Amino acid sequence: MGVLVLGGTGFIGGPVAARLLADGVETGVAHHGARAVAAGAASVVLDRRDSAAVLAAVRALGADTVVDLIAYTAADTLPLLDALSGRIARYVLVSSVDVYRNYEGLHRKGRPTPIWDRLAEDAPLRDSRFPYRLARPRAAGDPQAWMDDYDKIPLEDAARAARGFETAILRLPMVFGPGDRQRRFSWAIRPMVQGRPRFVIPHPWASWRATFGYVDDVAAGIALAAVHPRAGGETFNLGRANTPTNIAWAATFAEHLNWPGQVQLAHPDVARGALAKAVSGLDLGYPLFVDNAKIRRRLGYAEVTDFDEALARTVADEMGR
């Protein structure tokens, strides 16, 4: 078995390639050439949007599985699905929990009834499309112009309907750890490491719950879906099984760092700072926590990283910036 990882040098892709190699899987990494690949992986420099180049890499490597971490739009993915038809055995689409209807309400793209139960793989999906599309389209030269056409729902549908290979879909949670460009826990880590006696967060944010996953654990789940015989034709949620509130995450980091200070809550109308600004456009009445029991039960998935080690690596990365 050989696996070609598209986007295999990125935040999640690098650990996916490393995990496959550690499990003894022959692995190729397709990338733009800007970063080093995992030791032991075959390096292929290509443009992911060039379907012919991807197919040539599949043939050259003898890969029978493609893991696609950078499928964002129909325009850059549907031609690839056609090119791979009959050429591989399995296509692994890395999707997101942003497909669920609660995400629509969270980002004020609609007013669906909030779902307070854990979101299983068959939970209702967004009725609206293109969750990051702006009212005024981004300029063609804008590096984020692709976000206007980003949507994982039609990509999931197209991958399931594709013929000539089986599809496994992984819906990722909010991923944290070294290399996290969104710095998901900076709001808690930085004031604690700086020794501040207290910091303030908006109270709706404090009680909000969402599923997170440490990057190496998420990578292990993707790698497992690439090779496990029971993964084909299935959709899986990934992420940690427990889903604490944000104030509980703050308590976890405080204990880890031996921080003796205090987290204070403020009304969102008076809260200040980068965090208050970031969450001001969200409707935090919509939780985003998922049920990921299926991948654990069906594929035997479990986290591969000690939780304290995951916290330590996350803190070290945050403070190294």
Side-chain angles (χ1 to χ4, degrees):
M1 175 178 289
V3 178
L4 176 64
V5 183
L6 304 179
T9 60
F11 168 46
I12 300 173
V16 169
R19 185 67 195 183
L20 287 165
L21 290 163
D23 289 341
V25 179
E26 185 175 348
T27 303
V29 171
H31 60 106
H32 284 293
R35 300 178 182 175
V37 303
S43 175
V44 183
V45 178
L46 56 75
D47 185 340
R48 151 69 174 67
R49 296 168 296 182
D50 185 342
S51 300
V54 175
L55 182 56
V58 166
R59 288 170 169 164
L61 296 169
D64 59 8
T65 299
V66 170
V67 174
D68 195 350
L69 286 128
I70 46 179
Y72 298 141
T73 71
D76 66 23
T77 301
L78 269 57
L80 178 62
L81 298 178
D82 289 340
L84 294 175
S85 179
R87 309 290 186 176
I88 59 173
R90 180 176 296 175
Y91 174 78
V92 180
L93 174 66
V94 177
S95 186
S96 167
V97 297
D98 69 18
V99 300
Y100 291 115
R101 189 173 296 171
N102 270 14
Y103 196 83
E104 183 175 62
L106 175 67
H107 284 266
R108 303 182 187 275
K109 296 291 186 177
R111 295 290 301 274
T113 301
I115 299 172
W116 292 99
D117 294 332
R118 291 183 179 273
L119 302 169
E121 289 82 357
D122 59 355
L125 305 185
R126 284 183 278 104
D127 289 323
S128 63
R129 294 295 181 264
F130 309 113
Y132 306 119
R133 178 172 286 182
L134 300 180
R136 182 177 181 179
R138 296 171 174 89
D142 189 324
Q144 294 186 323
W146 60 271
M147 294 181 68
D148 285 336
D149 294 320
Y150 166 96
D151 199 332
K152 294 288 189 178
I153 293 177
L155 302 189
E156 288 192 5
D157 290 342
R160 289 191 192 96
R163 297 182 178 182
F165 54 76
E166 61 182 16
T167 296
I169 297 172
L170 282 301
R171 291 175 179 165
L172 270 55
M174 290 186 283
V175 184
F176 71 98
D180 171 19
R181 289 181 294 179
Q182 299 191 51
R183 304 173 64 185
R184 297 190 185 277
F185 289 117
S186 177
W187 62 271
I189 295 171
R190 191 156 290 274
M192 292 180 186
V193 173
Q194 291 173 343
R196 289 162 53 181
R198 67 180 181 90
F199 64 95
V200 179
I201 60 175
H203 69 73
W205 170 255
S207 58
W208 189 63
R209 296 176 66 195
T211 297
F212 287 82
Y214 180 67
V215 60
D216 287 355
D217 297 332
V218 169
I222 297 170
L224 181 63
V227 301
H228 198 290
R230 298 186 68 195
E234 299 290 343
T235 299
F236 301 102
N237 289 330
L238 270 175
R240 294 187 59 78
N242 64 325
T243 311
T245 62
N246 281 326
I247 194 69
W249 272 111
T252 295
F253 279 106
E255 180 179 6
H256 177 77
L257 293 167
N258 294 315
W259 181 68
Q262 181 182 15
V263 179
Q264 295 185 343
L265 307 185
H267 190 278
D269 291 343
V270 299
R272 298 179 179 179
L275 176 61
K277 183 178 180 180
V279 304
S280 62
L282 303 177
D283 185 340
L284 297 171
Y286 291 88
L288 200 62
F289 55 95
V290 301
D291 183 341
N292 46 53
K294 179 180 175 181
I295 193 170
R296 298 172 187 275
R297 180 181 63 252
R298 187 173 182 86
L299 306 188
Y301 168 78
E303 283 78 7
V304 297
T305 312
D306 176 79
F307 186 54
D308 284 337
E309 182 64 22
L311 295 178
R313 293 175 187 173
T314 301
V315 169
D317 181 69
E318 173 64 31
M319 299 317 300
R321 301 186 184 211

